[in-house]
Amino acid sequence: MDYHRNYRPCPTFFVEEEYGMESRIRQERQAKQEHDKQMARERQYVMADELSNLTSEQLRDDVLSHMLEMDNQTLPDVESIDIQTEIQWFMRPYLLDFLIEAHTAFQLLPSTLFLAINLLDRYCSKRVVYKRHYQLVGCAALLIAAKYNDKKDRVPTIKELKSMCCSLYDDDMFTQMEWHVLQTLGWSIGHPTVDAFLQHAVLDDAYDPEVEHMALYILEIALFHRDFVAKLSSELARAALALSRCILNRPQPRHTHWSSQYDSMTLVALSQQLHQPSTVVARKYASAHYSRVSKVMEHFLNRQASLATYARCTPPVETPIESKPYNGEIGLATPQKSQQLTAIPHGYLTPPITPDNDALVHAHTQMANHDMNRGMPTVHHGCSPSPVPSAEMQYMNSEAYQQQQEAMYMAQQAALQQFPLAPTHMGMSQTYQGGM
């Protein structure tokens, strides 16, 4: 009785088990809801991509025509930049190196760099820029382009730009220059950059990052040269794409494709500026992020230079002309000897082997007597006998005659030493006055 009176059952075990099951059910329900949301989000992305591709295919021609129209309207004026009083073209590479390094440090999009350079050149086409404000205008152009085109978290702040300029300008100067650039350009910032046309050109092709990076590398090299400042972005993009395909040995597109309609003169002009790129640009495109295309370009140029040097040093190889037998045709053909030698009844083969003279004369004498006995005129058949040298000529060709001539020459030299030459009189040549 005491045992049953003191026993109190503990309900905590059953309560904890029930609470644990509810917690698991709640977690499974939440995981299922997250999974359903993720699947719905993926379906929305797929539908958005399909609608975007469908819309882009339908409106691609309209978009391209609008880009070409804006490209013509937003070109800088090179002649106006030429008449600047303080800034000169040799200052441009230094500013571009600074802007490219800042663009890389902030990890901005490629189109932001090209848009910033376009804003800089357009402002310099309309306003007088002092040398001390040239870098400030470049920073303001980069700031405007980043706000217009790039992600918000990557837009550089005025404090960061001031630090990159070594505190050369105050904070208010960046704000004032930004407003002045926008007001000068009429708040017209939109410009179809070269990379936008490049993306349009490769839209239907298989993705080839090396070709696109090589084209971007060529286009950034073109930023440093005056000849390409007023060039249309569409022409530069197509020419750079064709040149990159040539360097990388990629096939060119069909003639009906938009990218195949590039200007050959622009392509040649771009190829002439590849030998001395900016150090900053070459280092930028030597990274693996850009497929190391600057190294590929360097190897290509070295190989082309070695081939050109080899072609200049090596004489041309003449192709031997195959001789053909002369068949009697009229023309410039040279008659050739036949390969089969026929037997000649009277005469000798070429070159003739001359027999002994006595035997030859004896043979000809017998033939002449035979013809006279038959009452026929004497006809010399074959080759005439070789002339027999006289006894005097045989002696002159002998070794004894050569020794005799050498002895006479030595005697003459001894006589000249004994009897010197007489002086020359009245312009006459010197003669030997002594005797033997």
Side-chain angles (χ1 to χ4, degrees):
M1 292 296 293
D2 293 337
Y3 174 77
H4 292 287
R5 183 182 299 112
N6 295 330
Y7 174 75
R8 293 179 181 179
C10 181
T12 55
F13 174 77
F14 302 100
V15 173
E16 289 179 359
E17 183 178 1
E18 182 180 0
Y19 177 78
M21 292 179 60
E22 290 179 357
S23 177
R24 274 198 308 272
I25 293 172
R26 190 181 303 110
Q27 291 178 359
E28 291 177 357
R29 188 183 300 113
Q30 291 178 356
K32 186 176 184 303
Q33 291 176 356
E34 291 294 333
H35 178 72
D36 294 341
K37 289 181 180 179
Q38 185 68 24
M39 293 300 296
R41 191 179 297 112
E42 293 293 336
R43 285 195 296 268
Q44 290 178 358
Y45 289 155
V46 172
M47 293 175 60
D49 291 339
E50 292 178 355
L51 292 175
S52 178
N53 294 332
L54 181 62
T55 305
S56 63
E57 291 178 0
Q58 293 176 353
L59 302 178
R60 184 180 300 179
D61 296 337
D62 295 337
V63 171
L64 179 59
S65 61
H66 180 66
M67 291 173 60
L68 293 174
E69 183 179 357
M70 291 183 61
D71 193 13
N72 284 280
Q73 294 177 359
T74 56
L75 280 179
D77 188 6
V78 179
E79 296 180 356
S80 300
I81 302 177
D82 289 337
I83 63 176
Q84 287 281 346
T85 55
E86 289 197 10
I87 62 173
Q88 303 296 329
W89 286 106
F90 73 88
M91 304 177 186
R92 180 184 177 86
Y94 299 99
L95 179 59
L96 292 186
D97 284 341
F98 169 79
L99 293 177
I100 291 173
E101 287 183 341
H103 174 269
T104 306
F106 295 122
Q107 298 180 357
L108 302 176
L109 295 175
S111 56
T112 303
L113 175 64
F114 293 107
L115 180 59
I117 303 302
N118 176 261
L119 297 176
L120 171 66
D121 293 334
R122 287 164 60 190
Y123 179 81
C124 294
S125 302
K126 298 182 178 181
R127 295 289 185 180
V128 176
V129 181
Y130 295 105
K131 182 168 56 177
R132 62 180 181 272
H133 294 156
Y134 196 29
Q135 187 179 16
L136 180 62
V137 176
C139 292
L142 182 64
L143 182 60
I144 296 171
K147 289 181 178 180
Y148 178 82
N149 190 64
D150 225 299
K151 297 180 180 180
K152 185 177 180 179
D153 57 342
R154 296 186 179 180
V155 175
T157 62
I158 294 179
K159 184 179 180 180
E160 291 172 339
L161 292 175
K162 180 181 178 180
S163 177
M164 295 190 70
C165 296
C166 301
S167 300
L168 185 62
Y169 310 104
D170 297 333
D171 296 350
D172 297 338
M173 297 179 69
F174 287 96
T175 306
Q176 293 176 7
M177 184 57 70
E178 180 184 0
W179 177 84
H180 197 261
V181 170
L182 291 172
Q183 188 182 26
T184 301
L185 301 181
W187 298 83
S188 178
I189 306 174
H191 168 72
T193 56
V194 288
D195 66 297
F197 285 104
L198 184 63
Q199 294 299 323
H200 179 83
V202 300
L203 195 60
D204 295 331
D205 301 333
Y207 178 62
D208 193 346
E210 194 173 10
V211 172
E212 295 185 18
H213 294 159
M214 181 65 74
L216 288 175
Y217 179 49
I218 296 172
L219 292 171
E220 287 198 23
I221 293 175
L223 291 175
F224 289 78
H225 301 280
R226 176 187 178 276
D227 298 337
F228 306 108
V229 172
K231 280 282 186 181
L232 293 172
S233 300
S234 57
E235 293 184 4
L236 288 173
R238 286 182 290 187
L241 182 60
L243 182 58
S244 64
R245 285 169 173 167
C246 291
I247 294 173
L248 298 173
N249 197 19
R250 301 293 198 275
Q252 297 291 341
R254 299 186 301 272
H255 296 287
T256 57
H257 201 272
W258 178 79
S259 61
S260 65
Q261 303 171 5
Y262 59 87
D263 184 17
S264 58
M265 298 301 296
T266 305
L267 187 146
V268 173
L270 287 174
S271 65
Q272 293 174 351
Q273 306 297 338
L274 303 178
H275 300 278
Q276 295 179 348
S278 170
T279 307
V280 176
V281 179
R283 184 173 63 248
K284 173 184 175 181
Y285 283 90
S287 62
H289 179 71
Y290 289 101
S291 305
R292 297 185 175 88
V293 291
S294 61
K295 298 296 183 181
V296 177
M297 174 77 75
E298 184 180 356
H299 294 332
F300 173 79
L301 295 177
N302 292 336
R303 185 169 63 254
Q304 293 296 319
S306 62
L307 291 176
T309 304
Y310 179 78
R312 287 195 301 268
C313 297
T314 305
V317 180
E318 298 181 358
T319 304
I321 301 175
E322 183 181 358
S323 59
K324 298 180 180 180
Y326 180 66
N327 297 325
E329 64 271 10
I330 301 175
L332 300 177
T334 303
Q336 303 292 330
K337 294 181 180 180
S338 60
Q339 300 297 329
Q340 297 180 355
L341 299 176
T342 57
I344 304 176
H346 304 287
Y348 299 95
L349 299 177
T350 303
I353 302 175
T354 306
D356 295 337
N357 293 323
D358 296 338
L360 185 62
V361 172
H362 180 68
H364 274 273
T365 304
Q366 291 182 353
M367 292 176 63
N369 295 334
H370 179 71
D371 293 338
M372 291 179 62
N373 294 331
R374 295 176 55 187
M376 298 175 61
T378 304
V379 180
H380 296 283
H381 301 278
C383 299
S384 58
S386 301
V388 180
S390 60
E392 183 180 359
M393 293 298 295
Q394 292 180 0
Y395 175 73
M396 292 177 65
N397 293 331
S398 63
E399 184 177 0
Y401 178 76
Q402 298 295 335
Q403 295 177 358
Q404 181 181 358
Q405 292 296 323
E406 292 179 1
M408 292 176 62
Y409 176 75
M410 296 297 295
Q412 289 178 358
Q413 294 296 326
L416 286 174
Q417 293 178 1
Q418 185 178 1
F419 301 97
L421 297 177
T424 305
H425 299 284
M426 299 179 65
M428 300 294 290
S429 62
Q430 291 182 348
T431 56
Y432 176 64
Q433 300 293 332
M436 292 296 294

